Amino acid sequence: MAERVVVTGIGIISALGTGIHEHVNALKQQKIGVCPISLLRTIHAREFVLGEIKMSNDELSSYIGLPTGDNGYTRTALLSLAAMKDLLSETDIELLRSEAFAFINANTVGGMSKMEDIYADVLKPDTLQHNIKYIDTLDCAESTERVVEFYNLKPFMATISTACSSSSNSFIMGARMIRQGLVKRAVCGGGDALSRFTLNGFYSLKNVDKKHCKPFDQNRGGLNLGEAAGYCLLEAESSAMARGAKIYGVLSGYSNTNDAYHPTAPSPTGEGAIRTMKEALNMAGINPSEISYINAHGTATQNNDSAEGLAIQHVFGTKPPPFSSTKPFTGHTLAAAGVIEAIFSLLAINEQILIPNLNFETKMEELEIAPLREYAENANLQHVLSNSFGFGGSNVSLIFSKA
């Protein structure tokens, strides 16, 4: 039997703050990180609310220990470096230097936030030499390489880009490598920074709400975008126990599927989501009734919430475990969404709390079920399911269990 994979380290930065403690407090106090735009340079600044991280690039650079100004780092790379710094605040970096480990990073738009600012000037003769260093940052792997270089690490590296399920897929790849004995540890997660490209792209699809999003609500109007980065340290349970590491939870089940229905919409019947949840449950060796809480993908878009709601109802029946979307707290953070919500699932287990579905008012007509409305403590959580469903029908379900 393959060895169990456990989570022994967490690093996170989002619109709710930096680090575990700030996020636990924000979730308990039901603090909303989605606010009017203050940093993104866009003509739509007065129209939308976003889950912006309240730190400028210079402030992020100072936090990390980089020179401020035009230092060659994109905002995406800075967020990834900040999340890794937080992870390393509770993890001895020598653990990642002494033995083979994997760094599986996720991203969707690379350094677009920087490139769109310099696009008009990048190829002008008098500014070409100054700006040429940013051209390669459009590669999604740029932030992966930046983290490895900055922290002087030599891991097995991979960059995953499967839209909104990207960082959830990084967990699966890292766990498989550990279970197959290729590495003892894997740092898995990802990050994405906000950009005009992203905001305008989603707005053109007519699925962005200019007000605070309302997942699983009959009157939902679309998603709120956000930015974030997060990483979890995964390792073999025997390794974690041998060094007396804190174990946040066990990655007991996972699955990824593809319903291949449409480039940007899930199958309306939820068939892909149904299959990936069932496969994750089978891998964990538990029944649907044993899931204590579901952290749903819940984007507040018409198609996703209908398909995911029907899928939850199919797998768990008309009296499912408490479920909620945490995207009203942070916005939809794209490649980072999976790891951010995996971390929220782990924090729910460790704090024994149920996180409410903010802004919910009216049950969807096509569903017999409704999300959790009230925050709760002493919840007796044993197994938590975290869903991430991306464009292209890329579906991932992760199950975390109490250690």
Side-chain angles (χ1 to χ4, degrees):
M1 182 177 178
E3 187 168 12
R4 295 202 307 176
V5 175
V6 298
V7 178
T8 57
I10 292 175
I12 182 171
I13 181 169
S14 79
L16 295 180
T18 303
I20 292 174
H21 298 300
E22 289 190 13
H23 283 81
V24 167
N25 290 336
L27 294 173
K28 287 183 175 181
Q29 296 166 14
Q30 299 173 56
K31 171 186 172 184
I32 297 176
V34 176
C35 300
I37 297 172
S38 60
L39 293 172
L40 184 66
R41 292 166 53 190
T42 169
I43 59 173
H44 301 297
R46 296 184 180 181
E47 298 178 49
F48 294 94
V49 290
L50 298 175
E52 285 185 315
I53 290 170
K54 312 304 187 292
M55 297 174 72
S56 67
N57 286 3
D58 279 348
E59 289 170 328
L60 285 167
S61 295
S62 295
Y63 173 74
I64 296 160
L66 286 165
T68 57
D70 188 15
N71 56 20
Y73 287 81
T74 66
R75 187 169 180 84
T76 300
L78 292 173
L79 295 181
S80 295
L81 288 167
M84 181 63 84
K85 177 180 178 177
D86 185 45
L87 174 70
L88 293 173
S89 69
E90 62 169 356
T91 305
D92 184 356
I93 196 171
E94 293 307 318
L95 283 173
L96 306 182
R97 292 174 176 161
S98 60
E99 298 176 282
F101 89 100
F103 179 47
I104 317 297
N105 190 39
N107 182 255
T108 64
V109 294
M112 179 62 74
S113 59
K114 180 64 179 181
M115 281 301 299
E116 64 189 12
D117 284 342
I118 63 173
Y119 177 75
D121 299 321
V122 70
L123 293 180
K124 291 180 179 179
D126 56 337
T127 57
L128 173 61
Q129 196 63 36
H130 179 72
N131 290 323
I132 198 169
K133 60 181 177 286
Y134 289 109
I135 292 177
D136 286 343
T137 67
L138 286 174
D139 190 324
C140 290
E142 190 260 347
S143 56
T144 312
E145 294 174 348
R146 285 294 202 175
V147 169
V148 168
E149 291 168 359
F150 183 84
Y151 290 107
N152 191 26
L153 302 171
K154 296 181 179 179
F156 171 92
M157 282 192 298
T159 303
I160 293 179
S161 189
T162 57
C164 311
S165 63
S166 299
S167 53
S168 291
N169 270 318
S170 77
F171 276 71
I172 296 179
M173 184 173 183
R176 285 175 172 165
M177 294 184 71
I178 292 169
R179 289 167 66 91
Q180 292 167 8
L182 298 175
V183 293
K184 280 192 176 181
R185 300 177 185 90
V187 174
C188 304
D192 256 327
L194 284 163
S195 67
R196 296 190 293 279
F197 172 82
T198 308
L199 178 61
N200 295 343
F202 275 88
Y203 189 39
S204 71
L205 295 174
K206 303 184 187 302
N207 61 6
V208 177
D209 198 332
K210 294 185 177 182
K211 299 179 180 179
H212 288 273
C213 68
K214 304 169 68 173
F216 298 108
D217 192 285
Q218 174 64 23
N219 301 309
R220 62 198 182 280
L223 55 78
N224 301 144
L225 286 168
E227 60 184 355
Y231 296 106
C232 287
L233 177 62
L234 276 56
E235 64 181 299
E237 185 177 33
S238 61
S239 170
M241 293 182 70
R243 66 184 186 88
K246 175 181 173 63
I247 296 177
Y248 288 96
V250 180
L251 179 54
S252 56
Y254 49 78
S255 173
N256 61 351
T257 67
N258 194 293
D259 53 37
Y261 175 77
H262 186 272
T264 61
S267 168
T269 63
E271 59 184 313
I274 291 169
R275 186 153 59 95
T276 195
M277 286 190 285
K278 283 185 173 181
E279 289 182 3
L281 287 164
N282 288 337
M283 181 180 182
I286 60 176
N287 297 316
S289 61
E290 295 178 82
I291 292 292
S292 311
Y293 165 63
I294 301 170
N295 189 305
H297 188 55
T299 58
T301 56
Q302 292 295 320
N303 290 339
N304 176 89
D305 289 12
S306 178
E308 186 175 11
L310 289 169
I312 290 172
Q313 192 167 281
H314 179 94
V315 175
F316 295 94
T318 56
K319 294 183 178 180
F323 73 93
S324 67
S325 168
T326 50
K327 286 182 172 64
F329 287 93
T330 62
H332 187 351
T333 58
L334 304 182
V339 65
I340 298 303
E341 290 155 29
I343 291 171
F344 288 175
S345 299
L346 289 162
L347 295 181
I349 290 173
N350 281 264
E351 298 292 324
Q352 290 294 295
I353 59 174
L354 289 172
I355 307 167
N357 194 107
L358 301 180
N359 308 326
F360 177 80
E361 295 176 337
T362 308
K363 186 173 73 68
M364 292 166 55
E365 291 177 354
E366 63 267 43
L367 299 180
E368 296 180 58
I369 61 176
L372 178 70
R373 300 183 70 170
E374 301 294 333
Y375 167 80
E377 297 182 339
N378 304 313
N380 191 28
L381 304 185
Q382 299 296 320
H383 305 283
V384 172
L385 172 69
S386 183
N387 285 336
S388 298
F389 304 139
F391 280 175
S394 179
N395 309 304
V396 177
S397 292
L398 305 175
I399 295 177
F400 296 98
S401 300
K402 188 175 180 181

